Amino acid sequence: ELPPTEEKAAGKKRTRAPKFNPEQEAKIRRTNVKRLSVLGEEDTSVKLLEELVFGAEDELVERLVEVTSPTRLHSKISLLAEDEDEESAESEDEARLALRPTRAAAWVDEDDELEEEVDMKHRYRRDLIRGEAESTMTKQKLQQRMREQFQRSMGGAPSWAESKKKKKKKDEDDEDDEDDEDDDLLRRTGNFVASSDSLPSGILRKCLHANAARPSEDRLTTVQFHPSAQVVMTAGLDQSVSLFQVDGKTNPKIQSIHLERFPVHRAQFSRDGETVIATSLKNKMFYLYDMMEGRVTPVHSVRGLNEARVKEFSVCPEGGALLLTGTNGYLHLLTLKTKEVVRSLKINGDVSGVAFSRDGSKVFANSEDGEVYVWDMRSSRCVNRFTDEGCVTGTSIAASPNGQFLACGSQSGVVNVYSQEACLNSANPRPLRAVMNLLTSATSLAFNPSSEILAIASRAEDEAVRLVHLSSLSVFSNFPVSKKKIVYRASCVDFSPHSGFFSLANNKGHAPLFRLLHYKDF
């Protein structure tokens, strides 16, 4: 018997071959012949084109000389006519579409026609606000503001964004300037390579509060850097004086003293930095704190001083003496060695501020009547007197350490910057610049040790602190550095001995500390 697999395989049906249809086969042959003829014509035209483009020069010249046959000429004319007909048809269709009346929209949204307002309080757009009124802004205005900010950061419009005409004109002007500079350079001799120490418009970096290790429980009234050590002092109405080491990171506390029932109104280091002098609001008594021995000495009375209280004072640059501000326009010179008044000066009106010249030979006294008096400390004689321009009530005064500038603050918030030389010699000096960036009374003024920056502040309003670049007499736009409140109401401002740090005392009991990146030392 055969195996079952072979039986199954033998039982399968075989497929039959298709029947031959002569008519259908003839039809397929005719179709194939037509296709071959068409392909032959296309191959001939392609071959002709290749010969025209890549053929030999002789053949090309012969074909150009040959007279075009009538049939070929007729075919070309017909093709051109067809192209013209197609173009005319397309132009007629476009004209017909243009004349067709446009249909009105089925529905119109009125909000689409209004200018969309952008919320400027978002944290990514806060830096573009120039005032509290700009809480919202249109898209067009926002784009313009961002374009201006970009150009400002790039130092002007970049070259790729300028038009060709403007760029060409600028290049011509630059070439003329370079030629002039070259001519001027060839006329002079000397060393032309020098480093620049002028202050750039850099950024101030926020550090940890100077008194973060011991914040004050009440309003701070004083902040001052030590004249030689890397130390800062704070004092306030919480009846304490504290010393901190300044490193910008932790600012550890060194020492703190408590003065019983003595809210500190003003505290200052002596000229040698070994003693702290502290006065209060309603006391005639003041304290002397010897930091070397750690001894606190109260001074209950001063011989020759007929004042009900000792509140404002300044340390004389020569050292060993204080200039006390009395009532009714009096200034009293007090020696710390004998604790007695050696002489008194008198101006019209109440004294609102006192500033010494660089060598301490002259003292500038600002009165509440808006007049500035210049006194010679050696002869106790008034050598000049002038009216602060535009001032009704004077509030503060400061002199630059290099002897170049004198700043006078007023109740209106205007700070006039004068030349010290003009203030010493002229009866009507004109200010170099009137700084009008404060809207309330300018209560605190301070120059940095290099006389490049002037800090102005008002304790009547939050965040009312500005830094003035004295070389250009313009205000730094990057301070305060944040839109968030960190300064609050500043009652005192000060710079470190080499301008590396800047601090202020505010009404929240803190002393915000800032690092000036341009200066390397403390």
Side-chain angles (χ1 to χ4, degrees), residues 65-101:
V65 172
E66 288 179 359
V67 180
T68 307
S69 61
T71 56
R72 188 176 297 174
L73 184 62
H74 178 69
S75 62
K76 290 182 179 179
I77 292 172
S78 60
L79 289 172
L80 290 172
E82 290 177 1
D83 294 339
E84 291 177 358
D85 293 341
E86 290 178 359
E87 291 177 359
S88 61
E90 289 178 359
S91 61
E92 288 177 2
D93 293 339
E94 292 176 358
R96 194 180 301 110
L97 290 173
L99 294 174
R100 182 183 297 175

Side-chain angles (χ1 to χ4, degrees), residues 403-422:
Q404 185 177 358
F405 301 104
L406 181 72
C408 300
S410 63
Q411 192 174 21
S412 62
V414 178
V415 178
N416 288 329
V417 181
Y418 295 91
S419 168
Q420 267 194 45
E421 184 179 358

